[in-house]
């Protein structure tokens, strides 16, 4: 079986990236321009082993994705634990080859390499959320972030998530310094002002009681990754309580979001966020936003279950912060607008209705 994976795309599609083709039982059937770039592997079996090893927490989710017989459009994006040759990210989609549903894995240096495969004509990017994620990757790859001259490709992004977009493409936004505990308090305060969170408890615990300055990630992107997960936990919580906890392990800060769920269709012990795709399809947009943004800004995330408790952990590596500079911006002030953008993408009333239906 040595066919180019170009058969999965039309002639006017973008050039094919190096790729792997997996069978439904996750056997590597062929590769396209990958083995020459990964000298530490010599054949398909060693290449398969290396790829699966680097998926780390997402390996089980990849197995399930390969085995899925669902005909609805779907895809996965994964960050690799370390480099596979020159590759650090994977974009997976289903394709039918000679009558068999296979999984094609495109490999790239980063998530931004995959934006040509998420174009406006793609059925995978028909929804608003998916379209916005495509546009983020498009701009990061080299599109112009100049919102004074909107093109059709960036109009939706600029109109729906302008604060998030500007943060990701502005070096200044990416190096601002603020205290992580203060940021989380501001997020909680703004959520509790939202009518859909009126009956929700959001207890916050700062387990160290010390300053947690952060400066190596965009504040807006972190908030936009947290909001979908807090919203999802709010819908799943049996007691309308979502716990937020901040801890420190050496130079690493951990943000723990947890709730006692009514029921869970899986168990997790450090799995990647992709395991959350096993929840109801109603939460797919929320999971997609968190998965892509956490990879996009290089924040490792993991999922744990302890009985009925579901815990999502975001890990942030600390760096020496720059001198505080509030003359031009206050990072905490970014919370209300970007929180509003994130909630606007999720349609929380619909999620709550779906959760109530599942409970019945």
């Amino acid at each position: 079986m040595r066919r180019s994976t170009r058969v999965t795309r039309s002639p006017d599609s973008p050039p094919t990236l190096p790729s792997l083709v997996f069978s439904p039982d996750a056997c590597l059937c062929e590769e396209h321009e990958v083995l020459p770039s990964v000298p530490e592997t010599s054949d398909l079996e060693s290449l398969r082993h290396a790829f699966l090893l680097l998926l780390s927490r997402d390996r089980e989710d990849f197995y399930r994705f390969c085995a899925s017989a669902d005909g609805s459009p779907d895809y996965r994006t994964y960050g690799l634990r370390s480099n596979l040759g020159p590759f650090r990210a994977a974009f997976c989609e289903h394709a039918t080859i000679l009558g068999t549903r296979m999984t094609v894995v495109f490999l790239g240096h980063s998530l931004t390499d995959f934006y040509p495969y998420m174009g406006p004509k793609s059925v995978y990017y028909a929804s608003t959320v998916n379209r916005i994620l495509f546009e983020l990757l498009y701009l990061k790859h080299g599109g112009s972030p100049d919102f004074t001259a909107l093109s059709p490709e960036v109009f939706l992004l600029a109109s729906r998530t302008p604060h998030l977009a500007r943060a990701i493409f502005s070096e200044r936004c990416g190096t601002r310094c603020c205290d992580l505990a203060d940021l989380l308090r501001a997020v909680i305060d703004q959520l509790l002002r939202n009518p859909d969170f009126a009956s929700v408890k959001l207890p916050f615990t700062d387990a160290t009681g010390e300053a947690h300055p952060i400066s190596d990630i965009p504040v807006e992107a972190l908030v936009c990754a947290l909001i979908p997960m807090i919203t999802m936990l709010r819908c799943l919580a049996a007691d309308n309580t979502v716990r937020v906890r901040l801890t420190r392990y050496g130079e690493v800060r951990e943000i723990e979001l947890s709730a006692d769920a009514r029921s869970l269709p899986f168990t997790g012990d450090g799995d990647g966020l992709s395991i959350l795709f096993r929840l109801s399809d109603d939460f797919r947009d929320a999971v997609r936003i968190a998965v892509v943004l956490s990879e996009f800004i290089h924040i490792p995330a993991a999922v744990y279950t302890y009985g009925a408790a579901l815990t999502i952990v975001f890990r942030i590596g600390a760096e020496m912060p720059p001198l505080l500079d509030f003359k031009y911006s206050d990072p905490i002030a970014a919370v209300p607008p970007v929180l509003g953008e994130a909630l606007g993408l999720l349609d929380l009333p619909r999620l709550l209705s779906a959760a109530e239906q599942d409970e019945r």
Side-chain angles (χ1 to χ4, degrees):
M1 187 175 181
R2 288 293 303 173
R3 299 179 305 284
S4 167
T5 56
R6 284 185 175 87
V7 298
T8 65
R9 301 221 167 250
S10 60
D12 60 349
S13 295
T16 303
L17 288 169
S19 57
L20 309 172
V21 178
F22 286 85
S23 67
D25 57 355
C27 289
L28 180 57
C29 301
E30 68 172 281
E31 59 84 25
H32 174 68
E33 298 179 0
V34 177
L35 273 175
S37 301
V38 188
E40 61 270 26
T41 61
S42 58
D43 53 29
L44 292 182
E45 185 56 33
S46 60
L47 181 58
R48 173 185 182 271
H49 177 76
F51 174 73
L52 294 176
L53 182 66
L54 295 178
L55 282 180
S56 188
R57 298 186 181 98
D58 290 315
R59 193 178 310 137
E60 291 299 322
D61 181 73
F62 178 72
Y63 289 151
R64 287 189 294 271
F65 184 72
C66 288
S68 171
D70 185 3
S72 63
D74 200 4
Y75 71 95
R76 291 287 189 272
T77 54
Y78 299 118
L80 304 181
R81 188 177 64 183
S82 61
N83 279 36
L84 178 68
F87 310 118
R88 193 61 188 270
F91 175 86
C92 313
E93 66 176 353
H94 288 134
T96 300
I97 302 176
L98 295 181
T100 302
R101 185 172 171 84
M102 310 291 278
T103 296
V104 181
V105 178
F106 296 97
L107 298 174
H109 301 281
S110 73
L111 287 179
T112 61
D113 289 344
F114 306 129
Y115 88 88
Y117 298 90
M118 306 175 184
K121 295 181 181 179
S122 172
V123 291
Y124 304 102
Y125 273 69
S127 74
T128 297
V129 167
N130 288 341
R131 176 67 175 149
I132 285 174
L133 294 177
F134 154 71
E135 288 162 353
L136 285 174
L137 298 182
Y138 166 80
L139 289 177
K140 189 67 173 181
H141 190 85
S144 171
D146 182 4
F147 298 135
T148 62
L150 294 176
S151 66
E153 289 77 18
V154 301
F155 178 76
L156 183 59
L157 173 65
S159 63
R160 293 294 297 272
T161 60
H163 293 86
L164 173 63
R166 290 184 188 279
I168 286 179
F169 304 110
S170 166
E171 291 183 2
R172 178 170 178 77
C173 285
T175 58
R176 293 180 304 167
C177 182
C178 70
D179 185 271
L180 191 51
D182 288 344
L183 181 70
L184 292 174
R185 291 187 183 98
V187 168
I188 291 170
D189 178 68
Q190 288 299 311
L191 282 174
L192 293 177
R193 295 170 184 262
N194 187 291
D196 290 317
F197 279 81
S199 61
V200 179
K201 297 177 181 178
L202 289 169
F204 172 63
T205 303
D206 183 353
T208 64
E210 59 185 41
H212 300 268
I214 60 170
S215 61
D216 55 344
I217 57 174
V219 169
E220 290 86 347
L222 173 60
V223 172
C224 202
L226 292 174
I227 294 305
M229 296 295 90
I230 295 175
T231 301
M232 183 188 70
L233 290 172
R234 181 256 183 275
C235 295
L236 296 174
D239 57 358
N240 286 333
T241 300
V242 179
R243 297 176 291 276
V244 182
R245 179 181 174 88
L246 179 62
T247 58
R248 177 175 181 171
Y249 298 93
E251 295 304 311
V252 175
R253 275 74 166 174
E254 291 193 350
I255 300 173
E256 297 180 6
L257 311 174
S258 63
D260 295 323
R262 299 180 183 90
S263 63
L264 291 172
F266 60 82
T267 58
D269 186 16
D271 299 77
L273 290 180
S274 293
I275 196 175
L276 297 173
F277 283 116
R278 297 182 66 184
L279 293 169
S280 166
D281 287 348
D282 296 296
F283 298 115
R284 184 164 291 181
D285 282 349
V287 176
R288 192 90 72 199
I289 292 170
V291 167
V292 171
L293 282 179
S294 63
E295 292 291 346
F296 203 60
I297 59 178
H298 308 296
I299 301 177
V303 177
Y304 299 87
T305 57
Y306 308 94
L310 173 61
T311 299
I312 301 166
V313 178
F314 291 88
R315 296 186 175 94
I316 300 174
E319 294 183 1
M320 287 298 294
L323 294 176
L324 293 177
D325 180 5
F326 291 103
K327 182 176 180 181
Y328 301 104
S329 69
D330 174 5
I332 302 298
V335 171
V338 79
L339 186 147
E341 291 175 3
L343 288 178
L345 296 176
L346 294 174
D347 191 0
L348 182 53
R350 180 184 62 80
L351 294 181
L352 290 172
S353 177
E356 292 172 0
Q357 291 295 328
D358 289 342
E359 188 176 8
R360 296 193 188 105

